[in-house]
Amino acid sequence: MLTTPEFLLSIVGGILLLFFGEAICHILGLVVFGVFTLGQIRVQTDDDKTLTFPWHGFARDQRGRLVAQMEVAGAIGMLTVIIAFVFFLAWRGGAFRT
């Protein structure tokens, strides 16, 4: 049985994890775009406020370079975290043993 302080701490911890988890996913998305695209696709900055992003979240700037919307970078970061977590669970479960 959960006591009241444990219950309240779990709620506060969950809210903090939601906030910091989103920030971590956005940062990881920036790193993923930087590393895997070798700088060919950059992420939206304040200079790109005039760009109109279509439904897929990619647009071209005035120089013709591909720009990814910040939300797309966060989604890629979130998918990276989920895939890494699934592989970690599979590894701990013994799925990769020979």
Side-chain angles (χ1 to χ4, degrees):
M1 184 78 178
L2 237 59
T3 63
T4 303
E6 290 174 336
F7 178 72
L8 292 175
L9 283 174
S10 66
I11 290 175
V12 170
I15 291 171
L16 289 175
L17 183 62
L18 282 174
F19 174 72
F20 290 118
E22 184 176 349
I24 289 170
C25 287
H26 276 293
I27 291 170
L28 187 61
L30 293 173
V31 170
V32 166
F33 267 95
V35 170
F36 288 124
T37 66
L38 300 174
Q40 296 298 316
I41 300 175
R42 64 182 183 84
V43 180
Q44 177 184 10
T45 61
D46 289 336
D47 299 335
D48 301 320
K49 294 294 182 187
T50 59
L51 289 179
T52 303
F53 290 94
W55 63 270
H56 49 74
F58 291 93
R60 295 208 179 261
D61 62 2
Q62 289 79 15
R63 296 186 326 220
R65 291 186 62 192
L66 202 56
V67 179
Q69 196 172 15
M70 183 60 79
E71 288 79 12
V72 172
I76 296 295
M78 179 184 60
L79 287 174
T80 304
V81 168
I82 291 171
I83 290 170
F85 185 67
V86 166
F87 272 103
F88 174 75
L89 289 178
W91 172 69
R92 292 296 293 159
F96 301 120
R97 289 188 187 149
T98 56

